[in-house]
């Protein structure tokens, strides 16, 4: 069993829909990251969380440390949001453990 | 600020050949990472450098993979000889320190025929 599990694996949406991607982990962590990977392969860091909630534009990330769960929300989704969204946790070392990603496609 | 630079972007070779990838991290970033990302999976850490020293290479297949960061700046990752299962995207990332946000390059997509 992976230490970091994401759901769903694949997600399609119509432009404008509200999107939620979930991440569960089974280890103690010092921080959780949400990353975005476009088809070209480059990865961009969206959020780093250790508690509570963060918001950047149309993106919102939340984390519940007790339940070992985090969610990434996208409001008013747009085709340019189409990408793979990856959850990664930092254990109590400096190593990142990555989930397998959620592939999001937003259609106009 | 210039990002993490990687080259080449794409490489196609036959099995048993050798290949090398290059990474230039963001200026001033002491920590450099090489990841392997197989299609449909998350990145897997191959090796982590702190300046020119290796911090973690526990998942590097040392019989065929090698990496160096001789002057503590840019780095090369080599595969010799390549196997079919090495087909993947090889990502380089750098950070100011080991607990800082990692910045990723665009990766090198390797295909083994």
């Amino acid at each position: 069993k992976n230490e970091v599990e994401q759901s769903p694996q694949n997600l399609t949406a119509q432009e404008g829909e509200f999107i939620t991607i979930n991440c569960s982990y089974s280890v103690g962590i010092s921080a959780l990251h949400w990353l975005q990977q476009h088809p070209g392969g480059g990865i961009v860091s969206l959020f780093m969380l250790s508690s509570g909630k963060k918001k950047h534009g149309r993106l919102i990330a939340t984390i519940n440390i007790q339940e070992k769960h985090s969610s990434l929300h996208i409001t008013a989704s747009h085709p340019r949001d189409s990408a793979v969204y990856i959850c990664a946790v930092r254990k109590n070392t400096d190593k990142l453990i990555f989930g397998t990603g959620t592939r999001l496609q937003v259609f106009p | 600020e210039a990002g993490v630079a990687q080259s080449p972007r794409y490489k196609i070779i036959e099995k048993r050949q050798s290949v090398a990838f290059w990474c230039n991290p963001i200026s001033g970033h002491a920590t450099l990472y090489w990841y392997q990302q197989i299609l449909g999976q998350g990145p897997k850490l191959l090796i982590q450098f702190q300046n020119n020293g290796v911090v973690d290479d526990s998942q590097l297949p040392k019989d065929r993979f090698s990496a160096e960061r001789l002057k503590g700046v840019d780095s090369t990752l080599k595969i010799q000889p390549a196997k079919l299962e090495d087909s993947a995207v090889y990502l380089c990332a750098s950070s100011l320190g080991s607990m800082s946000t990692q910045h990723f390059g665009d990766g090198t997509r390797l295909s083994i025929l």
Side-chain angles (χ1 to χ4, degrees):
Chain A
K1 191 180 190 304
N2 292 334
E3 292 175 297
V4 181
E5 298 276 357
Q6 287 186 238
S7 63
Q9 283 190 311
N10 295 284
L11 184 57
T12 58
Q14 286 296 125
E15 184 172 357
E17 285 185 4
F18 180 83
I19 288 162
T20 297
I21 299 170
N22 297 298
C23 175
S24 297
Y25 53 92
S26 57
V27 295
I29 68 168
S30 58
L32 181 144
H33 297 254
W34 281 103
L35 309 163
Q36 181 190 56
Q37 185 171 33
H38 279 282
I43 291 177
V44 174
S45 180
L46 298 174
F47 295 104
M48 182 172 69
L49 293 164
S50 53
S51 65
K53 175 179 171 179
K54 285 190 176 179
K55 184 175 189 292
H56 182 69
R58 295 180 293 106
L59 302 178
I60 303 166
T62 63
I63 188 168
N64 185 317
I65 297 293
Q66 286 72 33
E67 294 185 4
K68 292 187 165 59
H69 181 269
S70 175
S71 293
L72 176 69
H73 305 286
I74 304 175
T75 61
S77 60
H78 191 276
R80 64 176 175 266
D81 297 327
S82 298
V84 176
Y85 292 84
I86 301 173
C87 171
V89 301
R90 187 185 298 280
K91 296 166 71 169
N92 294 323
T93 63
D94 54 7
K95 186 179 291 188
L96 283 180
I97 309 296
F98 294 82
T100 55
T102 294
R103 183 174 301 276
L104 171 66
Q105 288 185 290
V106 181
F107 293 99
Chain B
E1 177 185 77
V4 176
Q6 286 190 247
S7 67
R9 287 283 284 125
Y10 304 94
K11 189 74 178 178
I12 301 173
I13 62 172
E14 294 184 346
K15 59 183 179 183
R16 290 187 290 273
Q17 286 188 320
S18 61
V19 64
F21 314 126
W22 175 81
C23 172
N24 192 20
I26 292 173
S27 178
H29 281 196
T31 312
L32 185 146
Y33 310 81
W34 282 104
Y35 291 94
Q36 179 193 59
Q37 186 178 22
I38 292 171
L39 187 65
Q41 299 182 18
K44 181 185 87 170
L45 179 69
L46 292 175
I47 189 167
Q48 177 184 342
F49 291 95
Q50 183 71 18
N51 297 307
N52 62 350
V54 175
V55 173
D56 184 349
D57 64 357
S58 56
Q59 297 195 87
L60 186 75
K62 297 181 187 62
D63 57 334
R64 299 184 300 106
F65 285 64
S66 64
E68 59 184 19
R69 194 186 184 198
L70 292 175
K71 296 183 180 178
V73 181
D74 56 347
S75 175
T76 55
L77 175 70
K78 295 179 182 176
I79 308 175
Q80 182 180 10
K83 292 185 175 181
L84 291 174
E85 61 259 35
D86 299 333
S87 293
V89 175
Y90 290 84
L91 293 160
C92 179
S94 71
S95 61
L96 278 171
S98 60
M99 301 297 280
S100 306
T101 297
Q102 294 183 25
H103 299 262
F104 288 82
D106 288 337
T108 296
R109 185 175 298 275
L110 175 66
S111 297
I112 311 293
L113 304 179

